[in-house]
């Protein structure tokens, strides 16, 4: 490994990061475009004070802190403060509506809920109902938590954690539409970070171009963790903006993104080999990058994208090699320490090249779903493999190609959308008899969330009235980009809705 990190005796994930950047406290960590540059020492000091502020709010080791905030350096300090305290960091997509947040607060039972200053009044009743103290954090180091941090005493000790202790909880949805909190341990996250650091050949002088949100696995664990392991610098953009990203490319050596972001870069004339000359590697994940885009990318930028495959419950599962072929459509080899198999319905290995269910076992796996032991057990085979729900095939060298998913989950712009959750909301709208939600090919988003709706009677509802009805209940990215009104849903002899037929017959909806 090229980082300085040495295995600390304390298994707290922060202790591992600390050993990686201990000799680099004066080195730039978060470089905010048009704003401040914070060194590793600056961010650590802020995290120590924030731990002081959280302690004064009554937060203790093992508690949950739920967070729904915009991306900022204080957001990183808050995350690190929670790690240092052994507090479980539960971070939510900023697009979630108050209704959705209310569910997460009730489920996660946090001591403290941190939200954006502008959301405080709306979310206060939900925090009260969940018995959580509400504080705020804004992007300009403002908000009540930021103010408390300014004056709070530093807590310099890092709590002694066991590797099996929970560091973070991230919600993922499922086929039933009910979200589940995936509990991630200090050791599991450390294994992902160390594996990525090694496989992607991280150098201490790498500069990461960071344009992803930090409320998901990709932006937080896949991108930030390996950077911290070696004390590398991060160009920390508040969100993806095309022009700002293009302008930053010459200062960066590593970029991580979802295909939608790469699709947008590909459309820009300024995306050239000259602009990308300092880049060492572009990695892509969270959704499949179309083969034609993979080839366009190589032509336009002079770099072959490195595809990798991951999921919240497992961190990174496979990665294409840093040195070696990275054919379009493939996602590479199992990460170090991870056992991967492709099997049939009876868990028997499929022959080489034949599609089957992808299952994995290894150190990076989650510890289970919060308060759902039966659901957790049902996701594992009797011999301890996690059932990913993805369909793939292995070639002779052990390289994985993904062919699809066994469920009907949609991935829109790198966000997972579960049709059942959307259908349940649409079905409750006035004038709707029933609906079926599918993902259809979408040039920008990969898949566009699309609703096929049967009305109770002609004209009983329309796209606007349905949007109005579901608007406060579902995050915007989950809401259909199009509504198609039909007389009846296609069903088979068993009365099951034929989503395959809907997808097949409407594959061109977004290109016409
Ligand atoms: C934004 N919008 C989306 C959307 N993102 N709609 C569908 N799907 C999406 N992903 C909508 C907004 O609701 C809004 O709608 C309009 O687009 C403009 O909003 P915006 O915020 O300006 O969007 P934009 O900047 O264009 O965002 C696109 C994006 C963003 C691709 C940059 O979605 C993004 O950062 N995606 C990354 C997701 C990610 O990090 N996934 C990692 C999951 S972890 P309206 O109608 O209100 O105008 C994981 C594991 C692993 O999967 O292996 O990585």
């Amino acid at each position: 490994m090229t980082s300085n990190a040495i295995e600390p005796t304390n298994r707290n994930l922060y202790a591992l990061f600390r050993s990686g950047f201990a000799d680099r406290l004066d080195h730039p960590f978060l470089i905010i475009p048009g704003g401040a540059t914070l060194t590793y020492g600056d961010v650590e000091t802020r995290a120590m004070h924030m731990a002081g502020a959280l302690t004064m709010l009554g937060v203790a080791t093992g508690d949950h802190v739920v967070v729904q905030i915009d991306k900022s350096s204080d957001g990183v300090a808050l995350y690190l403060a929670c790690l240092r305290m052994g507090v479980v960091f539960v971070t939510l997509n900023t697009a979630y509506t108050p209704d959705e947040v209310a569910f997460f607060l009730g489920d996660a039972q946090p001591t403290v809920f941190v939200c954006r200053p502008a959301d405080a009044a709306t979310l206060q009743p939900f925090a009260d109902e969940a018995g959580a103290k509400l504080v705020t954090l804004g992007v300009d180091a403002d908000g009540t938590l930021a103010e408390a941090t300014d004056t709070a005493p530093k807590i310099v000790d890092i709590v002694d954690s066991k590797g099996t202790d929970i560091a973070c909880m991230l919600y993922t949805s499922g086929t039933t539409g009910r979200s589940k909190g995936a509990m991630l341990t200090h050791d599991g996250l450390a294994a992902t970070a160390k594996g990525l650091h090694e496989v992607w050949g991280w150098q201490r002088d790498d500069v990461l171009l960071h344009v992803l949100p930090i409320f998901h696995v990709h932006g937080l664990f896949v991108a930030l963790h390996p950077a911290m392991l070696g004390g590398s610098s991060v160009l920390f953009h508040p969100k993806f903006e095309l022009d700002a990203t293009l302008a930053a490319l010459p200062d960066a050596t590593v970029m991580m993104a979802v295909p939608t972001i790469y699709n947008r870069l590909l459309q820009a004339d300024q995306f050239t080999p000259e602009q990308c000359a300092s880049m060492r590697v572009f990695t892509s994940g969270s959704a499949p990058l179309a083969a034609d885009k993979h080839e366009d990318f190589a032509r336009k930028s002079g770099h072959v994208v490195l595809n990798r495959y991951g999921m919240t419950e497992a961190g990174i599962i496979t990665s294409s090699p840093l040195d070696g072929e990275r054919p379009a459509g493939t996602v590479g080899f199992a990460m170090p320490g991870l056992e991967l198999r492709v099997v049939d319905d009876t868990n028997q290995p499929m022959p080489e090249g034949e599609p089957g269910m992808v299952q994995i076992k290894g150190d990076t796996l989650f510890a289970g779903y919060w308060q759902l032991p039966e659901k957790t057990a049902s996701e594992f085979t009797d011999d301890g493999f996690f059932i990913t729900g993805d369909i793939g095939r292995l070639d002779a060298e052990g390289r994985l190609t993904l062919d699809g998913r066994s469920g009907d989950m949609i991935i829109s712009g790198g966000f997972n959308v579960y049709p059942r959750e959307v259908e349940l909301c649409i079905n409750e709208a006035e004038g709707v008899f029933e609906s079926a939600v599918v993902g259809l090919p979408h040039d920008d988003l990969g898949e566009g969330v699309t609703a096929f709706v049967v009305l109770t009677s002609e004209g009983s509802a329309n796209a606007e009235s349905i949007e109005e009805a579901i608007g406060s209940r579902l995050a915007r990215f989950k809401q259909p980009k199009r509504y198609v009104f039909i007389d009846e849903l296609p069903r088979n002899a068993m009365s099951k809705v034929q989503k395959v037929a809907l997808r097949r017959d409407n594959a061109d909806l977004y290109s016409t």
Side-chain angles (χ1 to χ4, degrees):
M1 188 154 106
T2 48
S3 82
N4 265 23
I6 39 162
E7 218 47 73
T9 45
N10 179 1
R11 304 306 283 252
N12 188 305
L13 184 61
Y14 189 88
L16 177 70
F17 297 148
R18 182 84 185 32
S19 75
F21 62 71
D23 61 340
R24 295 204 133 198
L25 293 177
D26 291 335
H27 191 73
F29 173 23
L30 302 176
I31 304 169
I32 321 272
T37 291
L38 287 94
T39 64
Y40 274 92
D42 292 335
V43 178
E44 176 166 87
T45 303
R46 187 73 175 157
M48 287 175 178
H49 285 289
M50 212 168 266
L54 291 171
T55 303
M56 285 161 69
L57 284 164
V59 178
T61 301
D63 285 0
H64 289 180
V65 167
V66 171
V67 173
Q68 191 191 36
I69 51 172
D70 288 321
K71 185 176 172 182
S72 71
S73 60
D74 254 1
V76 176
L78 173 60
Y79 170 52
L80 297 179
C82 288
L83 284 182
R84 293 172 60 92
M85 295 172 74
V87 162
V88 180
F89 185 75
V90 187
T91 177
L92 303 179
N93 192 320
T94 48
Y96 288 150
T97 65
D99 279 15
E100 290 170 308
V101 173
F103 168 81
F104 295 119
L105 289 174
D107 191 67
Q109 301 160 16
T111 316
V112 159
F113 171 46
V114 188
C115 71
R116 293 172 281 207
D119 295 338
T122 312
L123 296 176
Q124 185 70 58
F126 301 116
D128 291 345
E129 195 162 321
K133 280 189 190 135
L134 181 147
V135 289
T136 61
L137 196 61
V139 287
D140 298 317
D142 57 334
T144 56
L145 178 59
E147 283 156 24
T149 300
D150 292 341
T151 54
K154 281 203 281 194
I155 296 186
V156 290
D157 289 339
I158 302 169
V159 162
D160 239 313
S161 300
K162 295 200 291 290
T164 50
D165 288 345
I166 308 304
C168 296
M169 188 159 92
L170 294 189
Y171 278 91
T172 78
S173 272
T175 41
T176 55
R178 186 202 186 284
S179 290
K180 315 172 293 273
M183 298 183 288
L184 305 162
T185 64
H186 287 267
D187 266 3
L189 294 171
T192 299
K194 286 186 285 187
L196 288 174
H197 200 275
E198 177 189 325
V199 168
W200 293 349
W202 271 87
Q203 309 293 320
R204 304 201 87 193
D205 54 3
D206 266 328
V207 178
L208 171 70
L209 177 48
H210 194 298
V211 299
L212 291 165
I214 55 167
F215 48 70
H216 274 314
V217 168
H218 199 158
L220 190 57
F221 306 149
V222 180
L224 273 190
H225 285 184
M228 284 191 273
L229 271 187
S232 305
S233 296
V234 179
L235 302 174
F236 199 61
H237 288 217
K239 62 176 294 212
F240 170 70
E241 299 277 3
L242 182 61
D243 290 341
T245 303
L246 286 164
L249 281 170
D251 299 323
T253 63
V254 180
M255 177 170 173
M256 303 186 191
V258 298
T260 297
I261 290 176
Y262 289 139
N263 291 345
R264 294 182 188 177
L265 285 177
L266 282 174
Q267 285 171 23
D269 293 338
Q270 307 95 299
F271 191 56
T272 59
E274 294 70 42
Q275 198 70 5
C276 302
S278 67
M279 289 298 296
R280 195 168 64 73
V281 63
F282 289 94
T283 74
S284 175
S286 310
L289 181 71
D292 59 330
K293 299 283 168 43
H294 189 89
E295 276 142 26
D296 281 359
F297 198 97
R299 217 176 9 255
K300 284 208 75 175
S301 70
H303 291 267
V304 178
V305 173
L306 186 155
N307 283 315
R308 60 40 170 208
Y309 155 53
M311 62 192 295
T312 301
E313 290 89 337
I316 294 301
I317 299 169
T318 66
S319 171
S320 294
L322 188 64
D323 302 310
E325 274 185 66
R326 309 203 277 259
T330 62
V331 290
F333 304 97
M335 289 292 287
L338 211 108
E339 227 179 304
L340 181 148
R341 68 186 188 188
V342 169
V343 296
D344 64 15
D345 293 347
T346 61
N347 294 333
Q348 293 309 305
M350 295 300 293
E352 179 193 312
E354 297 282 323
M357 296 183 294
V358 179
Q359 300 182 346
I360 50 169
K361 195 190 238 184
D363 299 340
T364 64
L365 279 179
F366 73 133
Y369 297 114
W370 165 245
Q371 294 186 326
L372 295 170
E374 283 164 21
K375 180 69 192 158
T376 304
S378 72
E379 305 281 319
F380 285 85
T381 62
D382 291 344
D383 56 348
F385 278 79
F386 176 64
I387 305 164
T388 63
D390 292 310
I391 309 290
R393 60 202 140 89
L394 289 170
D395 70 11
E397 293 164 57
R399 181 187 279 112
L400 184 71
T401 299
L402 291 173
D403 290 317
R405 294 175 289 271
S406 54
D408 55 3
M409 184 184 83
I410 300 167
I411 309 183
S412 168
F415 289 138
N416 294 352
V417 180
Y418 291 84
R420 193 72 201 126
E421 185 183 6
V422 185
E423 288 160 2
L424 288 172
C425 279
I426 294 176
N427 293 353
E428 283 175 24
E430 182 83 31
V432 171
F433 176 60
E434 60 176 351
S435 64
V437 170
V438 298
L440 296 179
H442 191 289
D443 206 44
D444 180 45
L445 296 170
E447 291 182 294
V449 177
T450 311
F452 292 85
V453 181
V454 180
L455 298 178
T456 49
S457 60
E458 202 182 324
S460 58
N462 55 35
E464 289 72 38
S465 69
I466 299 172
E467 270 172 6
E468 170 86 31
I470 69 172
S472 67
R473 301 182 59 192
L474 280 182
R476 283 294 290 170
F477 71 87
K478 298 179 190 170
Q479 295 182 27
K481 297 287 175 211
R482 296 257 186 109
Y483 291 86
V484 181
F485 294 93
I486 53 180
D487 292 338
E488 57 181 338
L489 297 177
R491 292 181 190 275
N492 65 10
M494 314 289 289
S495 254
K496 190 172 183 311
V497 176
Q498 294 299 283
K499 291 197 170 176
V500 174
L502 287 173
R503 281 195 288 265
R504 184 194 58 219
D505 298 343
N506 297 279
D508 295 336
L509 188 77
Y510 291 100
S511 50
T512 50

